[in-house]
Each structure stands twice: as C-alpha cells, then as structure tokens.
Amino acid sequence: MVKKTLGLFALILYCIIPVCAQQTRQAWVDSVFNSLNTNRKIGQLFMIQVPAQTDAARLNEVRSKIKNEEVGGLIIAGGNPVTLARLIAGFQKESDIPLLIAQDAEGGLGMSLDSTLTYPSPLVLGAIRNDSLLYELGKNIALQLKMIGVNLNFAPTVEMNTTPTLHYQSFGENKFRITNKALAFMKGMADQHVLAVVKNFPVKGLTITEVEKGWPIVQPAVDTAQVYTFRRLFDGGLTGFIPGSTELPLFYSNMSLARKNNFTSQALSSLFTGDWVKRNMNFKGLAFTDMRNVPPMEEKNSEGLASLYALKAGNDVQLYPEDINNAIRKIRRQVRRDKQLEEQLDASVKKILAAKYDAGLWHKEVINTDNLLLRLNTPQSRLLNKKLQEAAITVVKNSNNVLPVSILDNKKFVYITSDTTQKPDALYHYLTHYTHADRYTLHQLPQLKRLAESKDKFTIIIGIYPQTTPEALSILKQLLGTFNRHEVILCDFGNEEFLRTAGQYPTVITAYTNTREMLEGVPQVIFGALAADAILPMSISDQLKNGISNTYSSLNRLTYSIPEDAGMDSRVLTEIDSIAREAIKTMATPGCQVLVARHGKVVYDKSFGYLTYEKKSPVTERTIYDLASLTKVSATLQATMFMYERGLIDLNKKASVYLPELRNSNKKDITIIDMLTHQAGLAPFIPMWPQTMKDTTFLPQFYSHTRDAVHPFPVAPGLYGSQAMKDSVWSWIIQSRMAEKPPRTPYPYRYSDLGLMIMQHIVERLLNQPLDDFLHQNFYEPLGAYTTRFNPLDNFPVQTIAPTEIDKIYRKKLIAGTVHDERAAMMGGVSGHAGLFSNASDLAKLGQMLLQEGYYGGYHYYKPETVRLFSTKMYKGRRAIGWDRPVQSEWNSPTSLTASPLTFGHTGFTGTCMWIDPEFDLVYIFLSNRVYPDRSTRLNTTNIRSRIQDVIYQSIFDYCAHSQ
C-alpha cells in the first residue's frame, strides 16, 4: 500500500511540476511585457554587435543603444574573455530588460576569443560514432559561455556535405547522423540554459508568385534531405534559426513580376524564409534574420525601412541592424496603422521574452571573473577535446587486417614522414612509445630504395599531412609501388588530394586534421591502445564512401592521457616536480624519471635533471637506467612464474631437485619458495670479486682487457670476464655459509641476492636457454619494451645510458652501460638478482601487464591466478613470492603509507622502484642513478620515492573529493 501511495504521489508531482514551471514562465513573460511601451517592444527585436576592438567610443555607442533604444541583445565578435565578461556584466546592469548575449561558438569560445579552447570542426565530430560525446560537447561549451555571460550560441552547424570534399563545416552527408549529432549538441546546451540558434536554413531557390504594392509574395524551394534535420530540431524545441544568405536562383510565375521586384535573391531569402517556415513546418520558435544580407533601400526616406520589411515578413529577431533609431520610428508608425502588424510585434516580443526566461535571465546571475581563464581551460575541457578527436580517428581501409598491430616480436618497423617541417615530430614520438622504429623522410630516396629492396619484411608507417606537397605525394606514390612485400600503414592528417586516391591502398587511417591530439592519438589506434570506432562521414572517392567503418576493440596496451582521465588531480601531481627537483638540488641523484599510470593510462611521464652532476646531458624519456634489484622481479621472477604456470617447477620443492649439484651442499634442503621470500637462510651478501684479484691486479685466468672467445663477458668498459669466472661464482655460491638457527625451526626473513642467483640457474637449466635470451623473446620484445634488456651497450650508445658509480674498489673506473652490481658484472652482466636496464616507459609495460593479471597487447602472458599467487603476502613477514609489499602503518614501509595492502613491487639499490597497486589500478615507477658518483644515501634518507608516491595517492583522493 505504501509503495502504491508513493508511486501515485510521484506521478502527481511528475504531472504538476511542468505545469507549474510553464505557469511561472508565462507569468514572468507577461509581467515584463506589460511594462513595455511600443518603443521598448520594438527595441527587443534588435541584436547589435559588440566589436572585438573595445575602444571607449565604440563601447559608448553600444551603451547608448542599450539605454536609449533598449535593444534586446548583443552579439560578441571577439576579444579577451575576462574583458568581455566584465563588459557583459556591465551591459546587463545598464539594461532594464535582461539582454540576450550571443556568440558564434559552435567550436567553443576559441573560435573568436583569445586564451580559450577550440574544439574539433563539425567534420571531425561527424566521424564520431558515440553521440553522447556531442552532448558533452554542447554542455561543456554552454558552461563556458555562461561563465562570460553568453546565453545564446549560433550552433550547431547542420549543413549537409553534398560534394566529395573535406567540408569541415559539416557533420557529413548522412541526414540521420547529422540530425542525431545536432540534437545531442543542442540538448547539452539546453540543459545548461544556453539557447541554440541554427544557421543556414537550406533554401535552394525562390519563386515570386505576386508583387503587391512593391511587396513580393515568395515561395521558397527547399532541399528536403537537408530540411529533415531542421524539422527534427524544430520538434526538439530549437530556439531559432537563420536562413542561408547565398545568392539563389530567382524564378517568377510570370515575367511581368521581374520588373516589379526590387529585392535581390539574397535579401528575399533572408527576409521571407522565416514566415514560410513558420507556416509550413509548424515552427514555434524565433525566426532570426541577418540584416547584413539586406541591401539599403533606394526609396526616398528609406532609413530603417529594411527593419520594417523584416518585421512585416514575419521575422522575430534582427541581427546587425542599421539605423535602429529610424527603424523604431518607422515600425512604430506602421504599427499604429496596422493592427495585424501590432499583433505580430507583440507575439514576437513575447517569444523573445520567453527565450530569455529559458536562458535563465528571469533572475540576475553574477558573472564571476576570478580565475576565469583557469575555469575556462579546465583539465576536464582539455580531456573532452582529446576524447572527441581520438573518437574521430577513422580506419578507412584495413583490407589485410594489419590493424591493430598486435604482434611486435620478430617485426621491424619504419616510419616515413612526408613533411620535414614537423618538428618535433609528435607522430613519431608516440609511435616509439609502442615499438622501436627507424625514421626517414621522403627526401631520403636512396635509403628508401634500399628499404624497398631489402629481403627483410618491414611494417612501414607513413605520415601524410595537409602541407604535404603534390610533388611529395607523387614521390610517395612511386615508392608505394615498390613496397609491395611490406606492410604499409598510411596515416592521413587532412590531405584531401591524398584521400581521393587512398582507396587503392590496403591500410589507411585518417584523422582529418593535424592537431597535436590527432598526432598523439593515431599511434595509439595503430597499436590497439585505443579502440577504432569512427565512421567516414562523407564520400571522398568511389572507393571511400560515406559510412565506411573498420572497427576493432582495444588490446589493453597503455594509452597516454591527462590525470583527470584516470581520476587524478593534475594540480596535485605537479607537486612531484618539486620533490624531483629537490632530489637533484640536494644531490640525492643527478637525474630521474617518474612515471604514473592509472586505469591503463600513462598520466605522468617526466624526466628531470642530468645524467651526471656535470650537467652535460639532460635526462630524457629515452634515458636508460640500471634497475639493480628490480631485476629480481622484472626478470628472474617472470621466468619463474612462466615455469610455474607450465608445471615445470613446484614452488614447495627443494632447489636441489632441479640442481643436483646442491644435493651434497648445505643448501640441499632449501625450497624455491623460501628462496623467493628470503627465508632460506642464505648469506645476505658475499663480495666474491676479491677472489678474482691480487691486490689491485685482475687475475688473467678471469679477466682480459680485450674481448675474445675466452673472455666474452663484459664486466666494465674495456674489461671482459671468462667462463671460468662465471663457473667460479656459481661454485662460491654453493659453498657459501648458511645462517645459524635452532633445529627444526624455519629460517627468519633475511634479504639475500643469492636466492635469485640460484633461481637463475634453475631457469636456465630447465628452459635450456640463457635467462636474457628467454626474457627478451618471451616478454620484453612482445611487450614492446625495447629498452628493457641486459647489457644495453650491445644495442644502445653509452650516451643514452645513465652512469652509475665511479667504482674505486673493484673496476677502478666510471660504470656506464655495464651493470653496477659487482657480482652481476662478474656474471657477464646477466644475473638473477641484477643486470637489467630499462627506461620508465618500457618498464611500465611490464608493470601494466602484471596489473592486468597477465594480459597485455592482446596476449595472455599468465593466467590471473598465477599473478595473484605470486603477489600475495606469504607467512608473517611483508614479502610475497619474489615481490616486496608495504608494511601498513609503519614508518619503515618501502611504500607510501597510503598504498593499499594489495600493493606489490620492489626497489633497486641504484635508486629505482616499481610499485603496482591493484586496488587503485595504479603503476608507479621511479628510476634514478642515485649511486653516482659515490653511493649517496640521500635519496633514502629524504624518502624521495615514497614522498612522490604520497603525492600520487593524494591526487586520487583530492580528485574524488572535488568530483563529489
């Protein structure tokens, strides 16, 4: 019974509220209307321009028209938003009747105001499948307009593209998609009380059927396909429309009328379309007319006559009128004589007042200019702009299913730009976030010809820009004929000449324009980080027709966005910059990389400082760091998880089961899981290198200063080790002492590198492959982690690698490009506990794969339960299997105290860390060379890494608080 009563009450409210709202609206309109005399009523018909150059004389002229003629509204032409907001506030204060304030802002305030955003063109929006984004755009633009006091937007554009060209001011050529987008945009504005007035009602011809006392009777001919959208907008409550203003064919029912007609076709269309639309399309809104399209009358005493004609023709609002004072006098005189015209005037004024009520002008709104530019350019607005453009990237051809590029291993990539002025080359920059690619320009013909003749198969990605010349396109066409054996992906950024021929190629993407957002977004679509879901909005050739769409889902690769896209506050995250600079200033480290990814989006990726304190080479995102003990979890543990999942090892079995040489040692009973949780009783640290030296001399059975068959393993620049040294290291590990403990009790937690060094031998024994080769083939290359590898000097110049220590004890030189850890160096740079190098961007791919429970880039590296098992805390300590974990509410935790209990990760001695938090869907990476030049401990004592992590979590908490 209670439910029925509540339901009935809700139904009554649902019926009553709209009625009450309508009555309130009508009461306000009537009260204002009844206070107006004839002059004031006529003044409401006019909307005048506020010039962009706001000098005192022009502003005084506007104020005079507001005060003396009491015009109904203003049209913003341009200028600075803060200045305009103050002017509009002043104009509203000076006007007895609230003013309609209009702006042409279909693409945002940036179309005419400085220091503000411009959103994508209608053509780009036309490619978007999801019309809810158009609603958000309308809402966002409306909110920005309201901030400066504008309440009417001459938008959206609904013209239909009828020619095979890139018509940027059209949503396309499909009337249904145009209509749905326009309705969504209009609804977004209406929900924020900003009125929509659509331009260019499509009249395609005019017929004069009679001329009575110089007054023509006009019958417009309209394009029924294009009128469809207007009809739907009218039904949806459109505030108003403006007729098109082009010259049109003019017809007469008989030739004698041609001599009687004194109006041009442009004037006839502007003046007489409104009344025809009202009568024939049941339009109840406002008919606007642009008086700039009505030429001055040549009759005697014609001042203001055009405005009288506009009213007589059935128009409600006159834009850009001339000589308002004379227009008011002429209309007033005629209204006194013509009762029907008086009724028409009253009806128009009431509709104008009703529109003002709908715009929220029934109550005074304070225009706040405090921090206005910040409020107009919010991260949310920039994010919407980014999402709109990404959603419009269109895969127009994918004949061979090359896209998305899912497999990266055993592939060679090449990027060719058709324009050498693209500096910096944002497209190439973001391509290299996913794979390594050699870069060429079309001018490098000898190299490109060699590429075409190569026996290797390449994936070639080509960027084509609006400024790409016809000559360059001709060269490109010839080259494409020689690339038949390669996979070629053509990326267009708005070159119409290329698009007309693009249908002959198998793989083509178009972004329509070369904005930075598009240049960043296309690589993400190519590699499946972003889904492809857009539609070609127009026909560009016989092969590429309107409606073409090749779609695919995301492969769950990392994307690149701004913090707000991942539920983080960008202003809070900037505090990381201060902490990083503090680390450099206090000489905790000469430089560092910091990366934050949340919800699969890299939202912070910055480099700070220099490779050394000499400040010669700055750290960039391509700088490669020695990961130190991050090797344990990023390398050896990955191979261990691989073997576990395939049943090759049992974590609870003894290591001696897999390594028979341990059976007669003091390590015969240690288990794999005890080694990985540092509870096997292994020695914390064994130097080992003193046993290969006599005083300061490198013993020849272990070392050589030249690389040869006997000494193939790099120890330091100009120093190489022998297989005998690797064998000796393994022997010394086996012979090393174990910790003391009471009988029949487990070993306590004691961190040791030896367990992971032993684990390396198990991996290589069971997989019959060197650890580094296995990981490169099965993880790093498929992930696209090109810089993540052992012995980076085999692939990268030393200038790209951050040096670690000036080793004064063992190697007696600066260590750069070879592993910092002495025992890993003795192993030739490949060890289970150290030796891996990477930059932050590539290491993040591994971290994200683990966060996604083994899935990345369309491939399952692990089962989810495997990742969960290894990252779950074991025993009473804080450790998981291989992974470190936070210690909740304890000052000595390796993480921020705000990290969730599910967090897992590791730190590295060189000043590195990677932390993965499943609860917050977060990956955090910090890389540095804090041991340069002499193992400074300041990075640890100042808690740089955990303080940065504090900021990361605070940005999440603040975003949540503000969004609520």
Side-chain angles (χ1 to χ4, degrees), residues 707-874:
R707 194 170 196 171
D708 53 35
V710 179
H711 303 88
F713 305 113
V715 177
L719 185 65
Y720 302 92
S722 65
Q723 181 63 46
M725 183 159 65
K726 289 183 71 172
D727 294 341
S728 297
V729 169
W730 179 227
S731 175
W732 296 330
I733 291 172
I734 294 172
Q735 296 167 15
S736 63
R737 297 181 64 181
M738 298 285 286
E740 299 291 335
K741 72 176 182 68
R744 292 185 294 278
T745 61
Y747 284 106
Y749 167 78
R750 187 163 67 164
Y751 187 83
S752 172
D753 293 336
L754 299 187
L756 276 297
M757 296 174 81
I758 294 170
M759 201 66 227
Q760 176 191 1
H761 282 266
I762 295 176
V763 169
E764 294 182 342
R765 192 77 54 88
L766 294 182
L767 297 177
N768 194 31
Q769 191 177 13
L771 177 65
D772 54 338
D773 290 348
F774 170 78
L775 290 167
H776 183 74
Q777 292 170 14
N778 291 276
F779 290 92
Y780 307 145
E781 190 177 16
L783 284 169
Y786 182 68
T787 64
T788 308
R789 59 181 69 223
F790 296 87
N791 290 319
L793 288 177
D794 292 344
N795 300 88
F796 301 97
V798 70
Q799 294 83 356
T800 63
I801 305 168
T804 49
E805 185 179 6
I806 300 175
D807 187 348
K808 299 176 182 177
I809 299 173
Y810 171 35
R811 288 160 283 187
K812 305 293 192 298
K813 59 179 63 181
L814 172 65
I815 306 303
T818 52
V819 62
H820 173 258
D821 184 273
E822 298 88 352
R823 292 152 304 160
M826 295 169 69
M827 297 286 289
V830 182
S831 183
H833 74 294
L836 193 66
F837 287 71
S838 184
N839 64 19
S841 178
D842 284 345
L843 186 60
K845 297 167 187 174
L846 178 67
Q848 187 65 27
M849 180 270 283
L850 294 164
L851 182 61
Q852 293 170 179
E853 297 189 322
Y855 180 79
Y856 189 85
Y859 181 74
H860 289 277
Y861 292 83
Y862 303 115
K863 296 174 183 176
E865 51 267 31
T866 301
V867 178
R868 291 182 208 137
L869 171 67
F870 277 77
S871 61
T872 300
K873 186 175 79 167
M874 304 295 291

Side-chain angles (χ1 to χ4, degrees), residues 1 54 98 109 199 205 272 371 411 455 488 577 587 704 770 785 823 846 910 933:
M1 184 65 186
T54 51
L109 275 66
K199 299 172 290 186
F272 292 94
N371 299 314
K411 274 193 172 184
K455 294 180 180 179
V488 178
D577 300 27
M587 300 186 74
S704 171
R823 292 152 304 160
L846 178 67
T910 51

Side-chain angles (χ1 to χ4, degrees), residues 430-445:
Y430 277 86
L431 283 173
T432 56
H433 279 5
Y434 295 97
T435 189
H436 172 74
D438 294 322
R439 183 183 185 274
Y440 299 96
T441 72
L442 281 181
H443 300 329
Q444 296 174 285
L445 288 177

Side-chain angles (χ1 to χ4, degrees), residues 108-126:
L109 275 66
M111 291 183 65
S112 54
L113 304 188
D114 62 42
S115 308
T116 53
L117 280 171
T118 300
Y119 291 100
S121 67
L123 175 66
V124 174
L125 300 175

Side-chain angles (χ1 to χ4, degrees), residues 326-464:
N326 279 315
I328 290 174
R329 285 194 291 104
K330 274 200 166 48
I331 293 173
R332 182 183 64 222
R333 190 179 302 123
Q334 190 66 27
V335 162
R336 287 173 181 169
R337 301 172 186 167
D338 188 337
K339 186 67 175 174
Q340 186 176 352
L341 188 62
E342 183 182 14
E343 291 174 356
Q344 183 179 323
L345 172 64
D346 290 351
S348 292
V349 172
K350 286 182 177 181
K351 284 198 292 183
I352 292 167
L353 293 174
K356 291 184 176 184
Y357 183 93
D358 294 340
L361 294 175
W362 55 275
H363 67 93
K364 292 284 185 181
E365 285 192 1
V366 177
I367 299 174
N368 178 16
T369 58
D370 293 345
N371 299 314
L372 180 59
L373 291 180
L374 283 176
R375 291 186 287 116
L376 289 173
N377 296 284
T378 62
Q380 288 77 11
S381 296
R382 289 188 285 111
L383 176 59
L384 175 61
N385 189 29
K386 174 182 169 63
K387 285 187 173 296
L388 288 165
Q389 295 188 64
E390 289 174 347
I393 297 169
T394 309
V395 179
V396 294
K397 289 288 294 294
N398 195 20
S399 304
N400 300 330
N401 293 318
V402 169
L403 300 174
V405 177
S406 58
I407 298 172
L408 302 180
D409 47 323
N410 299 316
K411 274 193 172 184
K412 295 182 178 180
F413 291 86
V414 167
Y415 165 70
I416 302 172
T417 176
S418 63
D419 176 52
T420 56
T421 65
Q422 289 284 118
K423 294 179 181 178
D425 194 330
L427 177 61
Y428 178 64
H429 177 76
Y430 277 86
L431 283 173
T432 56
H433 279 5
Y434 295 97
T435 189
H436 172 74
D438 294 322
R439 183 183 185 274
Y440 299 96
T441 72
L442 281 181
H443 300 329
Q444 296 174 285
L445 288 177
Q447 295 93 323
L448 294 176
K449 287 179 180 178
R450 284 196 296 272
L451 176 68
E453 295 165 359
S454 171
K455 294 180 180 179
D456 294 328
K457 185 176 181 180
F458 290 89
T459 297
I460 302 172
I461 300 167
I462 303 175
I464 301 152

Side-chain angles (χ1 to χ4, degrees), residues 564-686:
E564 281 69 18
D565 195 16
M568 304 177 79
D569 190 317
S570 55
R571 287 174 295 182
V572 175
L573 275 186
T574 58
E575 294 175 22
I576 294 175
D577 300 27
S578 300
I579 299 173
R581 293 190 184 103
E582 175 196 328
I584 294 163
K585 185 177 180 180
T586 59
M587 300 186 74
T589 180
C592 61
Q593 293 174 344
V594 184
L595 184 144
V596 180
R598 188 168 191 239
H599 300 331
K601 304 174 179 74
V602 176
V603 296
Y604 187 99
D605 183 10
K606 287 189 180 181
S607 302
F608 300 90
Y610 294 82
L611 300 188
T612 68
Y613 291 113
E614 289 72 25
K615 298 184 178 181
K616 292 180 179 179
S617 300
V619 176
T620 71
E621 62 182 25
R622 294 172 182 257
T623 300
I624 299 168
Y625 281 94
D626 183 334
L627 301 184
S629 283
L630 270 180
T631 303
K632 294 179 173 72
V633 293
S634 303
T636 315
L637 188 66
Q638 302 308 308
T640 304
M641 292 166 67
F642 177 93
M643 294 190 300
Y644 167 80
E645 189 165 282
R646 285 154 182 80
L648 298 177
I649 58 171
D650 184 332
L651 296 177
N652 294 300
K653 281 190 175 181
K654 298 173 182 178
S656 58
V657 170
Y658 307 100
L659 298 172
E661 59 266 42
L662 298 180
R663 291 173 187 170
N664 296 319
S665 74
N666 57 0
K667 298 170 183 61
K668 64 180 184 296
D669 293 325
I670 62 173
T671 63
I672 291 176
I673 197 166
D674 284 343
M675 290 194 306
L676 293 175
T677 54
H678 300 277
Q679 296 189 162
L682 296 169
F685 180 75
I686 305 173

